Amino acid sequence: MQHIAPKKSLGQNFLVDSNIAEKIVRLFEPAEGEVVVEIGPGEGALTTNLLKSGCDVIAVEIDREAADLIEKRFGSDVEIIRNDILKTDLSRIAADKGVEKLRVIGNIPYYITAPILFHLIDHQRVISDTTLMMQREVAERLTASPRTKDYGILSVAIQTWTEPKRLFNVPPSCFFPRPKVTSTVVALKVRERTELTGIEREHQQLVRGAFSKRRKTLQNALTELIPNRDERTEIFRRAEIDPQRRAEELAPEEYIQFARVFADAGAGAAG
Ligand code: SAM
């Protein structure tokens, strides 16, 4: 098989251990008729295994050289979108394909792991689940519990919108070139979150506001978002959240409750 010279700037660490590639796809369980979006196929380590299941593969690849290689290797078996995943409208893909839900997989470029996760959250309505390989440190943040150092905006966002599960670690020796860090494969199953419909913005404002000053009490951290002191006190009271607590002490479910009251109070309109 032809190879390309890895580009560090695009986070190209190709998976060269075929057993691991096969295992990731086996656990993902693609099925015939499903539409699977692969983020950054590179040289096609995961793609080749996906195709064996008979699913429809749509590969989003920013690197022209890698996209050319995928085209040459798999021909019309793979639909290639030559674009930045962060600029790719997944809702559009689902609509074009005539499916309600897409499945998403990828050994993603580590330099944009968090932006990719937020992009997928933005399109969660058209995604059923995703399996991603990322650096272990980020994977640990996704599943972190409140009151731990890893618990932050990413943990709350991911745990609110998905059920995250860390599957297994992959050592640097399985890649070319070898990354400096250990990787982890994570499965995220998207949750139905009807109670947040229409108040997603308020929820996001609240979580970001709270964590922007994570060392402060919520009472102090949220002064910018809810400047009126009486209004703030009332929102805390109605949400049954002690204003002396800090951002990292609140569970994802508490942020949802908080967001509902915050939205009801119309306080989000200011932002
Ligand atoms: N899936 C392949 C594998 O497992 O060997 C390649 C993984 S490599 C870690 C990341 C891939 O994502 C590369 O092919 C890279 O060109 C591509 N990539 C980097 N930035 C991207 C972006 N913004 N949008 C889409 N693909 C991107």
Side-chain angles (χ1 to χ4, degrees), residues 10-16 38-46 60-63 66 83-86 106-112 116 133 175:
L10 291 177
Q12 291 183 344
N13 297 95
F14 299 122
L15 185 57
V16 289
E38 185 185 356
I39 303 171
E43 295 188 340
L46 299 177
V60 182
E61 175 59 66
I62 199 170
D63 181 28
N83 196 7
D84 181 343
I85 182 64
L86 301 177
N107 167 17
I108 58 178
Y110 296 170
Y111 73 107
I112 45 169
I116 289 177
M133 177 139 65
F175 300 88

Side-chain angles (χ1 to χ4, degrees), residues 38-263:
E38 185 185 356
I39 303 171
E43 295 188 340
L46 299 177
T47 327
T48 189
N49 288 287
L50 287 169
L51 288 171
K52 287 179 195 155
S53 73
C55 67
D56 241 355
V57 180
I58 301 179
V60 182
E61 175 59 66
I62 199 170
D63 181 28
R64 201 180 68 185
E65 213 183 341
D68 287 347
L69 189 147
I70 292 291
E71 196 170 274
K72 203 161 158 192
R73 186 170 174 196
F74 302 110
S76 59
D77 289 348
V78 174
E79 190 176 322
I80 305 170
I81 297 180
R82 294 165 180 264
N83 196 7
D84 181 343
I85 182 64
L86 301 177
K87 294 184 184 143
T88 302
D89 184 350
L90 298 171
S91 310
R92 175 91 252 159
I93 296 178
D96 286 350
K97 284 277 153 191
V99 291
E100 250 177 64
K101 303 278 181 186
L102 302 167
R103 303 191 69 205
V104 178
I105 192 168
N107 167 17
I108 58 178
Y110 296 170
Y111 73 107
I112 45 169
T113 304
I116 289 177
L117 289 168
F118 284 115
H119 187 68
L120 296 179
I121 288 175
D122 283 347
H123 291 89
Q124 40 87 17
R125 281 210 180 76
V126 296
I127 300 172
S128 61
D129 67 299
T130 173
T131 289
L132 303 171
M133 177 139 65
M134 60 190 72
Q135 64 266 52
R136 183 170 60 185
E137 286 69 20
V138 180
E140 284 168 354
R141 280 163 57 198
L142 302 191
T143 54
S145 306
R147 297 169 194 273
T148 62
K149 73 166 174 31
D150 284 338
Y151 189 70
I153 294 178
L154 201 54
S155 327
V156 176
I158 287 293
Q159 291 171 33
T160 298
W161 294 107
T162 77
E163 258 173 73
K165 214 169 166 186
R166 277 187 277 152
L167 301 183
F168 62 94
N169 292 335
V170 182
S173 57
C174 295
F175 300 88
F176 178 79
R178 293 182 181 206
K180 290 197 178 69
V181 293
T182 295
S183 303
T184 301
V185 179
V186 181
L188 306 166
K189 191 172 169 348
V190 176
R191 298 179 199 264
E192 286 281 328
R193 273 294 185 208
T194 45
E195 73 272 43
L196 277 174
T197 305
I199 60 167
E200 293 93 340
R201 191 174 66 103
E202 286 85 353
H203 179 264
Q204 196 187 58
Q205 284 178 324
L206 207 52
V207 176
R208 283 184 192 276
F211 279 100
S212 67
K213 300 195 177 77
R214 65 184 285 153
R215 310 235 166 275
K216 293 198 173 181
T217 61
L218 290 169
Q219 164 83 340
N220 290 328
L222 295 174
T223 49
E224 231 170 87
L225 188 60
I226 318 167
N228 184 300
R229 193 194 165 105
D230 292 344
E231 194 179 5
R232 214 163 51 233
T233 306
E234 179 61 10
I235 290 173
F236 279 114
R237 191 190 63 75
R238 283 180 44 213
E240 298 178 28
I241 305 272
D242 179 352
Q244 295 308 315
R245 294 170 76 189
R246 288 164 214 278
E248 63 189 33
E249 296 172 14
L250 261 58
E253 294 303 320
E254 292 181 291
Y255 278 106
I256 294 175
Q257 162 72 4
F258 205 0
R260 203 177 301 132
V261 174
F262 175 51

Side-chain angles (χ1 to χ4, degrees), residues 3-40:
H3 293 285
I4 58 177
K7 300 177 188 68
K8 209 174 164 184
S9 62
L10 291 177
Q12 291 183 344
N13 297 95
F14 299 122
L15 185 57
V16 289
D17 185 318
S18 56
N19 291 324
I20 298 289
E22 190 267 329
K23 183 174 174 182
I24 293 170
V25 175
R26 181 162 33 88
L27 294 177
F28 181 64
E29 291 187 57
E32 198 168 340
E34 289 176 346
V35 179
V36 175
V37 173
E38 185 185 356
I39 303 171

